[in-house]
Amino acid sequence: MIASRKFLSLLLSASILTPMPSVALAPQDYKQEAIANIDSHAKMVQVMVDTVFSYGEPGFQEFRTGAYLTDILAKNGFKITKGVAGIPTAWTATWGEGGPLIALGSDEDDLRGVSQIPGDPKIEPMVPGAPGHGEGHNSGMPLQIAAALAIKAVMEKHHIKGRLMLWPGIAEELLGTKAFYVRDGLFKGVDACIFAHVASDFSTAYGPSSTGMVSVEYTFHGKTAHAAADPWDGHSALDAVEIMDVAMNFRREHLPLSQRTHYVVSNGGGQPNIVPGIASVWYYFRDVTFDSVKTLYDIGNRTADAAAMATDTTVEHKLLGTAAPNYGNKPMAELAQANIEAVGMPKWTADDQAFTKLVQETQKRKVEPLKDKVTPLRPPQEDRTPTGGGSDDIGDIMWTVPTITVRYPSNIPNMIGHNVTSAMAMATPIAHKGAVAGAKAVAMTVLDLMMTPDELTKAKAFFDGDQQKYDHYKPFLSATDVPAIHVNDDYMRTYRPLMEPYYYDSKKYDTYLDQLGIKYPNPPTGPIRKITPPKSSGDVTGGG
Ligand SMILES: [Zn+2]
């Protein structure tokens, strides 16, 4: 019997000429076990999603979030390595021996100034000026942790060989770390990577998408003087910033439609009666290919140098982040799509739909119910009109190992991105159910990859073939660039103490909304409840 089975499998593996239907994916009952395991962790997912929401940490300040999530993983048998790639808040959690190595990641940072009370359809900051999860990055790592625990349980029970590596997207809103992860070899030996990103739909895609980007701060150094008594003795660094911005804005007319260039003046000087001796402007340059991003970045650098020349100042360029254009793996996307369809959309309740409508109406967004169908597999966008758009530094990993992004339905349709409206649902049952559904699709896809060497071979062949024919990885980092871990340090020194009274205490309250005194799906009727913050774990360093 054993001999004939061996012979059969030899025959099957030799039958390259006759394409076989997708046999030998993970058995249905193994997938059912993973689904049951995730359902049994639904409460844990809710607590993780709500807790990370309440911590509300922006890029490079994810100290408390990281300590909390790695603690859960360590307690569940994962080996934690902290401070990877020279980034204090970055970490990996690994488990398993031998077999394929699958990486699971998602972002966990939030955005400056978008603090928002969850479950509230009106714009109402929890702490005015503080950061908030106005993109929903609080849900992604909880999803991946739930998936990883289920995969581990199934693999242990059935003695499946394989390894998992969980990793967080640190400072994604600054496009600040994934290129450094790649440069530091974090993905060496990884066979495939599944990235999860919050959305209002349940989907995946392959081929090119999202823009590449370089984030760079130009700091001009001039000469200060009394702005009224002897301005002729000064060389204004702020003049250089303004000349650069004017020049870039004129240049826009002659740039391709696919580019996106935006900036903030990060230092405009001290006070008007002093000629500013130092001033900085922070640019994001985006376009759809490696080469077009590089062209735009070069234009920015030349314009900065020209502005310095025009004002007799000097300029230093500091790269703060980069992102490669995204490129999803087709065989993996097809696998994931089948699992997304098998999982289907979460069962939304009348309360979920009522809250959605209330938010959309209050915010004057298009009224559309929570989706009841998963999105069909999105084909490549190679021939799309190149109109540009956002970036995600998962691109750097996509050009390093076969990778896909699974978008899971934890948010309301038609909200504004990078905005308080995108935070309103992110600690409600909508966010919790979307993360549970996403975890199931990820777990099932990982089991398929772990148990089907052919699927990993196909993923690798697509990566080495079609993807490399399309373009090659050209990292924007130089050997000397370092992660911009200082960003948001001062900011969080101010806001962390003000946010602590709103940290979620899951031992005392069933949900975060309960703690705040909000009766979902109804809006809050009075001020939200403050609590005495739990004692610092001692792990929160540097974010201060
Ligand atoms: Zn994001």
Side-chain angles (χ1 to χ4, degrees), residues 107 135 137 172-173 197 392:
D107 302 323
E135 174 149 335
H137 285 179
E172 189 278 329
E173 301 296 1
H197 199 282
D392 193 312

Side-chain angles (χ1 to χ4, degrees), residues 110-122:
D110 71 355
L111 291 147
R112 290 171 76 115
V114 290
S115 171
Q116 168 66 29
I117 297 172
D120 190 341
K122 295 185 305 302

Side-chain angles (χ1 to χ4, degrees), residues 58-340:
F60 294 115
Q61 303 300 317
E62 308 90 339
F63 291 99
R64 203 174 284 264
T65 303
Y68 168 70
L69 296 176
T70 52
D71 193 43
I72 292 170
L73 284 160
K75 283 187 180 129
N76 282 282
F78 284 75
K79 181 179 164 278
I80 311 296
T81 309
K82 290 191 179 179
V84 296
I87 299 155
T89 51
W91 49 268
T92 58
T94 51
W95 172 82
E97 262 173 51
L101 173 55
I102 311 291
L104 302 177
S106 193
D107 302 323
E108 59 176 37
D109 60 321
D110 71 355
L111 291 147
R112 290 171 76 115
V114 290
S115 171
Q116 168 66 29
I117 297 172
D120 190 341
K122 295 185 305 302
I123 294 174
E124 203 77 70
M126 197 124 54
V127 175
H133 275 289
E135 174 149 335
H137 285 179
N138 58 306
S139 54
M141 282 315 289
L143 176 160
Q144 294 289 31
I145 290 172
L149 298 187
I151 298 160
K152 177 171 174 271
V154 174
M155 288 174 69
E156 281 174 335
K157 182 175 168 196
H158 300 287
H159 311 289
I160 301 163
K161 260 197 174 319
R163 291 161 295 154
L164 294 172
M165 178 179 88
L166 279 83
W167 57 272
I170 294 299
E172 189 278 329
E173 301 296 1
L174 303 166
L175 290 310
T177 56
K178 298 188 190 98
F180 290 98
Y181 289 173
V182 168
R183 194 183 69 181
D184 272 43
L186 215 64
F187 287 80
K188 245 197 200 128
V190 169
D191 292 289
C193 175
I194 301 180
F195 182 65
H197 199 282
V198 61
S200 62
D201 67 343
F202 201 5
S203 66
T204 188
Y206 60 91
S209 69
S210 292
T211 53
M213 193 221 58
V214 177
S215 156
V216 55
E217 186 172 49
Y218 298 101
T219 297
F220 293 89
H221 298 272
K223 187 164 165 268
T224 156
H226 192 299
D230 55 347
W232 38 84
D233 283 335
H235 297 288
S236 169
L238 180 60
D239 288 355
V241 164
E242 291 189 79
I243 288 171
M244 169 164 193
D245 295 345
V246 167
M248 284 306 297
N249 285 325
F250 271 103
R251 188 69 184 256
R252 253 178 233 284
E253 184 187 350
H254 311 288
L255 294 174
L257 290 179
S258 52
Q259 70 83 30
R260 292 285 188 283
T261 301
H262 22 259
Y263 59 88
V264 293
V265 176
S266 43
N267 177 6
Q271 61 183 68
N273 61 356
I274 303 171
V275 173
I278 183 163
S280 305
V281 59
W282 179 11
Y283 270 83
Y284 277 18
F285 300 113
R286 306 188 206 240
D287 211 325
V288 291
T289 67
F290 287 104
D291 290 343
S292 56
V293 175
K294 179 71 170 50
T295 301
L296 189 60
Y297 182 24
D298 288 343
I299 289 171
N301 286 339
R302 283 201 303 278
T303 307
D305 293 344
M309 197 183 285
T311 49
D312 276 333
T313 60
T314 58
V315 61
E316 55 173 324
H317 308 179
K318 184 160 174 42
L319 186 127
L320 296 182
T322 78
N326 287 9
Y327 197 100
N329 187 275
K330 186 179 179 189
M332 285 175 66
E334 287 169 346
L335 265 188
Q337 181 71 26
N339 291 318
I340 287 169

Side-chain angles (χ1 to χ4, degrees), residues 205-483:
Y206 60 91
S209 69
S210 292
T211 53
M213 193 221 58
V214 177
S215 156
V216 55
E217 186 172 49
Y218 298 101
T219 297
F220 293 89
H221 298 272
K223 187 164 165 268
T224 156
H226 192 299
D230 55 347
W232 38 84
D233 283 335
H235 297 288
S236 169
L238 180 60
D239 288 355
V241 164
E242 291 189 79
I243 288 171
M244 169 164 193
D245 295 345
V246 167
M248 284 306 297
N249 285 325
F250 271 103
R251 188 69 184 256
R252 253 178 233 284
E253 184 187 350
H254 311 288
L255 294 174
L257 290 179
S258 52
Q259 70 83 30
R260 292 285 188 283
T261 301
H262 22 259
Y263 59 88
V264 293
V265 176
S266 43
N267 177 6
Q271 61 183 68
N273 61 356
I274 303 171
V275 173
I278 183 163
S280 305
V281 59
W282 179 11
Y283 270 83
Y284 277 18
F285 300 113
R286 306 188 206 240
D287 211 325
V288 291
T289 67
F290 287 104
D291 290 343
S292 56
V293 175
K294 179 71 170 50
T295 301
L296 189 60
Y297 182 24
D298 288 343
I299 289 171
N301 286 339
R302 283 201 303 278
T303 307
D305 293 344
M309 197 183 285
T311 49
D312 276 333
T313 60
T314 58
V315 61
E316 55 173 324
H317 308 179
K318 184 160 174 42
L319 186 127
L320 296 182
T322 78
N326 287 9
Y327 197 100
N329 187 275
K330 186 179 179 189
M332 285 175 66
E334 287 169 346
L335 265 188
Q337 181 71 26
N339 291 318
I340 287 169
E341 282 166 15
V343 173
M345 292 299 284
K347 301 254 173 302
W348 306 121
T349 61
D351 281 355
D352 299 332
Q353 296 291 6
F355 181 69
T356 298
K357 188 158 181 271
L358 188 63
V359 171
Q360 289 164 341
E361 284 176 349
T362 310
Q363 294 305 321
K364 300 188 169 39
R365 307 298 295 170
K366 187 176 162 214
V367 174
E368 184 188 347
L370 293 162
K371 294 183 199 315
D372 59 0
K373 281 190 187 63
V374 306
T375 310
L377 186 59
R378 270 185 287 151
Q381 301 174 22
E382 279 170 57
D383 53 356
R384 71 190 171 146
T385 315
T387 49
S391 319
D392 193 312
D393 53 359
I394 187 62
D396 290 82
I397 295 166
M398 288 177 149
W399 288 96
T400 306
V401 295
T403 302
I404 50 164
T405 295
V406 169
R407 290 160 53 88
Y408 57 94
S410 274
N411 214 337
I412 290 175
N414 308 324
M415 294 298 101
I416 305 167
H418 295 176
N419 185 275
V420 287
T421 58
S422 289
M424 290 166 176
M426 285 314 303
T428 70
I430 298 169
H432 308 143
K433 288 182 213 173
V436 166
K440 290 176 183 173
V442 169
M444 289 159 78
T445 308
V446 172
L447 289 175
D448 283 340
L449 291 169
M450 289 283 189
M451 300 190 67
T452 324
D454 266 10
E455 291 299 328
L456 281 174
T457 307
K458 270 160 54 184
K460 187 80 182 21
F462 181 85
F463 178 85
D464 290 334
D466 294 50
Q467 186 169 345
Q468 304 305 319
K469 256 181 252 154
Y470 180 80
D471 209 341
H472 291 291
Y473 186 41
K474 294 161 201 154
F476 300 116
L477 290 186
S478 72
T480 54
D481 288 318
V482 292

